[in-house]
Amino acid sequence: MSTAHIPLQAIKGRGLAQHQPHRFERDAREAFDDGWGALDDALRARDEAPPPATEVSFEDAKSAITHNDSPDIGFRLGLNPYRGCEHGCVYCYARPSHSYLNLSPGIDFETKLIAKRNIAQVLQRELASPRHVPELLAIGTVTDAYQPVERELRLMRGVLQVLVDTRHPLAIVTKGSGVERDIDLLAPMAAQGLAAVYVTITSLDAKLTRLLEPRAAAPHRRLRTIRTLAEAGIPVGVSVAPQIPFINDDMEQVLEAAHEAGARRAFYTVLRLPHELSPMFRQWLELHYPDRAARVMARVQEMRGGRDYNADFAQRMKGSGVWADLIRQRFDKTCDRLGYAREREPLKTTLFRPASLQGQQSLF
């Protein structure tokens, strides 16, 4: 029996159109048009219903600092106050991590968030350990620490206060303008050579970014964040990641606008589609760019040795082949012309003083 085509529909204010089963589920279910109109009724009901609300649950983290030894990542220590991200970026390589929580890497990743409510206290304990060796702590490399829920929960504020008290070096990667709230903490750290911020701008096209990153700050707002941070004396860089063939093709314009706003360092990656992210991104293409979906995926596969994704450390960030080389050349030539540095901001580790375990409650 042939099945009827089931049209995809966008969910207002969210990145993905459908629930995506995670890779550990035993059963997968698909909508099926049996001719009785039930599917049409369900689609109409979804159109009339409000978009899914964000739900936040809380966990007591056992650890705050994560460690990685990947040779293609320029830091060893990381920290993320939240699991899941309300920004809803369709290309987010962290989406498959929700599968470990028995949640969908699709709509659940955007709407069912887990907040590590004790992360500041745990971080303080870890920094007090005699085994801790101070080095760059990268924040927001998995999920954004300044996603909308941070305005209410202020977990990142508590983390920053611990790092201020211990003079521990940190770098933040974010799409959220909420980082401006913490300039009062970041600016004194930056003056000591202890802090830097990198703002991700995928494109200057507001219509495109509403589809790619539906709940992140608008491009012009991120440029204003770069300017505000730079004027406060905080070293600012720009991330133009990820580069997606035939989708965000204004890399040079983004780099120019960010440099004019005050960014002085830059980096990029190409699109990564691990695990469940590949079918989800294909679905997004079919929904929003059906005329070029096949062409986009052909170029993605060209950069990945004929596959949707190649996890090899030598390739996963920048890809390989002619198209990857073209992106690299465009980036390098623009950075050379504008005077961008490609290395991360050098930060000091010699000012570190171990955390005191007394007075933890005063953090909030």
Side-chain angles (χ1 to χ4, degrees):
M1 179 188 300
S2 63
T3 60
H5 175 68
I6 309 302
L8 294 172
Q9 287 189 325
I11 299 175
K12 184 177 181 181
R14 297 296 180 180
L16 292 173
Q18 305 285 349
H19 175 90
Q20 171 68 36
H22 64 73
R23 61 190 180 279
F24 303 118
E25 289 187 56
R26 292 191 308 170
D27 303 311
R29 295 174 174 82
E30 289 186 4
F32 172 71
D33 187 352
D34 59 3
W36 291 97
L39 184 61
D40 292 337
D41 292 342
L43 291 175
R44 278 194 295 271
R46 195 178 82 174
D47 283 344
E48 296 168 1
T54 301
E55 302 173 17
V56 181
S57 57
F58 297 90
E59 72 172 13
D60 291 318
K62 295 181 180 179
S63 62
I65 299 175
T66 61
H67 299 77
N68 88 80
D69 56 2
S70 301
D72 58 341
I73 296 178
F75 61 89
R76 194 176 68 88
L77 306 183
L79 183 146
N80 295 279
Y82 301 99
R83 302 181 193 270
C85 186
E86 197 175 1
H87 283 161
C89 304
V90 299
Y91 52 74
C92 182
Y93 57 80
R95 281 183 176 274
S97 65
H98 243 43
S99 300
Y100 296 110
L101 305 175
N102 198 29
L103 295 171
S104 167
I107 195 66
D108 287 353
F109 182 81
E110 307 174 40
T111 60
K112 296 183 179 180
L113 311 179
I114 293 91
K116 304 174 185 179
R117 58 187 169 191
N118 65 334
I119 191 166
Q121 293 94 326
V122 175
L123 176 63
Q124 189 173 40
R125 185 186 70 222
E126 291 176 348
L127 296 186
S129 169
R131 295 189 299 273
H132 178 73
V133 178
E135 57 184 281
L136 171 67
L137 180 64
I139 301 174
T141 57
V142 179
T143 58
D144 203 316
Y146 287 101
Q147 58 182 285
V149 71
E150 168 64 16
R151 289 195 290 266
E152 177 184 351
L153 298 184
R154 298 173 66 86
L155 297 183
M156 185 59 189
R157 181 76 181 184
V159 165
L160 276 181
Q161 188 61 63
V162 173
L163 297 173
V164 168
D165 293 343
T166 57
R167 299 178 187 171
H168 196 289
L170 72 130
I172 297 168
V173 180
T174 185
K175 299 184 184 78
S177 59
V179 67
E180 296 174 23
R181 177 201 66 190
D182 294 331
I183 285 177
D184 63 318
L185 298 180
L186 290 169
M189 291 192 76
Q192 300 175 76
L194 294 173
V197 178
Y198 297 84
V199 178
T200 299
I201 304 179
T202 316
S203 172
L204 298 179
D205 185 336
K207 181 179 178 181
L208 170 61
T209 56
R210 277 196 298 270
L211 300 177
L212 272 176
E213 310 154 342
R215 295 203 174 193
H220 74 273
R221 186 66 183 87
R222 292 182 231 180
L223 288 172
R224 195 168 94 194
T225 294
I226 290 176
R227 188 179 303 278
T228 302
L229 294 170
E231 289 176 349
I234 300 168
V236 190
V238 61
S239 162
V240 290
Q243 289 298 303
I244 309 171
F246 306 122
I247 298 295
N248 56 334
D249 55 3
D250 59 344
M251 177 205 293
E252 291 85 353
Q253 289 79 16
V254 172
L255 289 169
E256 289 168 0
H259 190 273
E260 193 279 330
R264 292 297 178 264
R265 298 179 183 273
F267 71 91
Y268 81 98
T269 63
V270 298
L271 178 68
R272 297 162 55 187
L273 297 175
H275 301 300
E276 298 94 336
L277 188 54
S278 176
M280 288 189 291
F281 184 75
R282 285 177 173 271
Q283 179 192 87
W284 180 86
L285 282 174
E286 290 294 341
L287 178 62
H288 297 291
Y289 295 97
D291 58 327
R292 69 182 85 166
R295 193 156 50 114
V296 171
M297 289 309 303
R299 295 291 79 74
V300 168
Q301 290 178 339
E302 179 184 313
M303 293 191 292
R304 300 298 185 187
R307 293 177 285 175
D308 284 6
Y309 182 56
N310 185 346
D312 181 76
F313 288 136
Q315 296 189 32
R316 65 174 183 167
M317 295 299 184
K318 301 296 174 64
S320 63
V322 173
W323 199 267
D325 287 343
L326 176 61
I327 293 175
R328 176 184 53 78
Q329 290 175 26
R330 290 172 56 201
F331 178 80
D332 287 347
K333 289 181 179 180
T334 306
C335 286
D336 289 342
R337 173 167 58 84
L338 296 173
Y340 273 112
R342 266 87 98 189
E343 304 81 18
R344 68 169 184 258
E345 184 74 23
L347 300 175
K348 295 179 182 177
T349 60
T350 55
L351 301 180
F352 174 71
R353 54 187 181 191
S356 169
L357 292 179
Q358 299 180 354
Q360 285 190 2
Q361 299 304 316
S362 66
L363 292 172
F364 304 99

